[in-house]
Amino acid sequence: MPLLAENILLKNNTLTLIKNNTILSLPLQDITSVRIKPKILFTKFKTSDAIYTISKPISLSFKESRYLEFFFNCNDLANTSTAYAYAVQSSLRHKNIAWQNAKDEKILLPNLESGTYYLLLKAINPSGVESEITFLKIIIKPPFWKTLWFIIFTSIVIITIVIVIIFSIIKRKNYERNLELKLMKSEFVALNSLMNPHFVFNTLNNVQSLINKEDKVLACKYIQILSDLMRQNLINVTSDLISLAHELELVTNYLNLEKLRFKDLFNYHFYIDQNINVTEIFIPPLLIQPLVENSIKYSNWNLNKIKGEIYIRILKVESKHSVKIEVQDNGGGINKKEKAEKQSMALNNISSRLFYYSKMHNLKTNFNFQEITDKDSKLKGVFVCIEIEY
């Protein structure tokens, strides 16, 4: 092509150049389809707040990133129908890029989440020649509720609130539990106190019976043992729990008193499991004595003309870490309504005290009462078993 042509003529899509009598004619299509790569570049971008010139990388707050618009231009010799394509990726990989068409030399990217993005852009001229891919690195900062310090702070606040709530619940439950225990203890002490006058009343009746029989020596001995027994009983009854050893001592003294009154009417037998240390096991006071008293009072040995026998057994239950207290007699049972009503007072009292004992100390108890009959269904005794976990 002549440089600095003297004459240029364009006719019928043909360009004619003339210089120094040299003429060169070229189809216009051959000139406009020169295969030169177009060049493309970003010029500026716009947010919801302002318009900025391009700086690499672009760092924006989460609020500004709600609306992003990027502008670009392309220096293309043809510059007639150049096409543009863009893609948004989390890395600069150039494989399997999901290109999208861009129009009017601008790209709109609304509502990007926080993170790092790469905006890729390229131009394609009518001849199919693509420009080099240009890119922008865009960093969108997380909102304050996604920042590490906010997550840590919120976690601490939530944990603190949960701990406060848990401690409040525990404190309230402990308060209710302590209040319940105080009420139970009051009722427990009241029930213990009920046993004391009941025991004293029956014992004084026995003394009166001896005096009426003018057996003064035996009555004096009875009163002496009774005074020691009452002193021991007063100490025990004011306590929530006493050792099994103290309870057995009281029962022994009571049986000795009754033996003085009834002479040879009955015998009593103790059996204590050798694996049990009675000084280390604690039970509610006056738990065994009322059962022994009932055996003597309602046995009807005289009427049945038999020798009375009372068995007190203390057995260890290995599998449950508990102790069994058994009282058994060979009397006539409680086959009469009047006897049953009188006896039920002591038994109900024991049952109630075991219930409160179980609640206050979170230990299991079991109270079982049954009459023993022979093969002819004739009453031949009463068996009472108390099982206490310790």
Side-chain angles (χ1 to χ4, degrees):
M1 181 181 292
L3 298 176
L4 299 176
E6 295 174 348
N7 296 294
I8 299 174
L9 177 65
L10 178 61
K11 185 178 181 181
N12 297 328
N13 290 324
T14 300
L15 180 64
T16 302
L17 303 175
I18 303 171
K19 182 178 180 182
N20 298 330
N21 298 322
T22 300
I23 300 173
L24 177 63
S25 296
L26 295 171
L28 184 60
Q29 182 178 0
D30 291 345
I31 297 174
T32 58
S33 62
V34 178
R35 299 181 64 81
I36 299 177
K37 284 187 177 183
K39 292 183 179 180
I40 191 169
L41 56 91
F42 291 99
T43 56
K44 58 185 178 181
F45 71 96
K46 180 181 179 181
T47 69
S48 57
D49 297 331
I51 298 176
Y52 302 93
T53 56
I54 295 297
S55 59
K56 297 182 180 181
I58 296 172
S59 181
L60 298 170
S61 67
F62 184 77
K63 179 182 177 181
E64 285 185 297
S65 68
R66 298 302 80 202
Y67 177 87
L68 288 176
E69 191 173 15
F70 292 88
F71 300 90
F72 58 88
N73 60 30
C74 179
N75 297 326
D76 190 358
L77 290 176
N79 199 24
T80 53
S81 56
T82 302
Y84 307 104
Y86 75 95
V88 180
Q89 300 186 147
S90 58
S91 66
L92 280 175
R93 60 178 179 84
H94 292 327
K95 292 182 179 180
N96 301 322
I97 299 176
W99 293 104
Q100 301 181 60
N101 294 328
K103 296 180 180 180
D104 303 326
E105 296 186 343
K106 62 182 180 182
I107 301 170
L108 179 62
L109 299 177
N111 299 322
L112 287 178
E113 295 297 326
S114 57
T116 300
Y117 301 91
Y118 291 90
L119 177 58
L120 309 181
L121 180 65
K122 67 178 180 179
I124 308 170
N125 67 16
S127 300
V129 180
E130 295 185 359
S131 68
E132 296 290 340
I133 297 175
T134 187
F135 71 90
L136 277 178
K137 184 179 181 181
I138 306 168
I139 301 171
I140 299 176
K141 299 174 184 178
F144 74 91
W145 61 85
K146 288 187 177 181
T147 56
L148 181 61
W149 68 265
F150 182 81
I151 293 173
I152 294 174
F153 174 77
T154 304
S155 299
I156 293 173
V157 171
I158 293 173
I159 292 171
T160 303
I161 292 173
V162 170
I163 291 174
V164 169
I165 292 173
I166 291 173
F167 272 99
S168 298
I169 293 173
I170 293 174
K171 185 177 180 181
R172 180 173 57 82
K173 287 188 177 292
N174 285 338
Y175 173 78
E176 292 175 354
R177 172 68 175 168
N178 291 334
L179 184 61
E180 183 183 9
L181 287 176
K182 285 181 180 178
L183 293 173
M184 285 185 181
K185 188 173 181 180
S186 299
E187 293 189 35
F188 188 73
V189 171
L191 287 169
N192 284 349
S193 300
L194 283 176
M195 299 303 293
N196 191 36
H198 178 69
F199 167 74
V200 172
F201 175 77
N202 290 329
T203 307
L204 289 177
N205 279 342
N206 295 339
V207 174
Q208 183 182 11
S209 176
L210 290 173
I211 294 173
N212 290 337
K213 292 178 182 179
E214 296 184 356
D215 193 346
K216 296 180 181 179
V217 176
L218 188 58
C220 289
K221 188 175 182 180
Y222 200 102
I223 291 172
Q224 182 182 356
I225 298 176
L226 174 61
S227 64
D228 294 336
L229 187 59
M230 287 183 64
R231 188 181 302 109
Q232 180 187 24
N233 188 37
L234 286 172
I235 294 173
N236 290 346
V237 83
T238 56
S239 304
D240 291 342
L241 300 173
I242 62 171
S243 70
L244 184 54
H246 286 158
E247 176 73 5
L248 292 175
E249 183 181 354
L250 183 144
V251 171
T252 303
N253 288 336
Y254 174 78
L255 286 168
N256 287 335
L257 280 176
E258 295 296 79
K259 283 282 286 182
L260 284 174
R261 184 163 70 98
F262 291 108
K263 298 188 184 302
D264 296 327
L265 180 62
F266 71 93
N267 291 323
Y268 62 86
H269 312 273
F270 281 95
Y271 173 78
I272 301 175
D273 194 322
Q274 62 180 358
N275 295 319
I276 291 178
N277 186 345
V278 291
T279 61
E280 295 179 353
I281 296 175
F282 290 84
I283 62 173
L286 286 175
L287 195 63
I288 304 175
Q289 184 272 334
L291 301 177
V292 174
E293 183 179 349
N294 280 344
S295 291
I296 296 172
K297 190 170 183 179
Y298 304 114
S299 59
N300 295 323
W301 291 312
N302 275 330
L303 295 177
N304 296 325
K305 297 180 181 181
I306 60 174
K307 179 76 171 183
E309 301 289 346
I310 298 176
Y311 300 91
I312 299 105
R313 306 184 191 94
I314 311 298
L315 307 173
K316 186 176 179 64
V317 184
E318 296 289 347
S319 59
K320 297 182 180 179
H321 194 68
S322 59
V323 62
K324 275 187 177 181
I325 301 170
E326 296 180 352
V327 177
Q328 181 178 345
D329 64 60
N330 64 337
I334 52 172
N335 55 339
K336 290 186 179 180
K337 182 179 180 182
E338 182 182 358
K339 292 180 181 179
E341 289 176 351
K342 290 180 179 179
Q343 192 163 20
S344 66
M345 177 180 176
L347 298 180
N348 288 338
N349 186 292
I350 291 172
S351 180
S352 297
R353 289 193 295 142
L354 286 174
F355 171 77
Y356 289 126
Y357 167 84
S358 176
K359 288 291 185 181
M360 290 191 305
H361 301 281
N362 196 25
L363 294 172
K364 294 180 180 179
T365 62
N366 186 36
F367 183 46
N368 182 34
F369 172 87
Q370 66 184 59
E371 292 181 328
I372 303 171
T373 58
D374 59 18
K375 61 181 181 179
D376 297 323
S377 299
K378 184 179 179 181
L379 292 171
K380 54 181 296 185
V382 172
F383 175 81
V384 181
C385 178
I386 298 173
E387 184 175 339
I388 299 180
E389 190 177 31
Y390 64 93

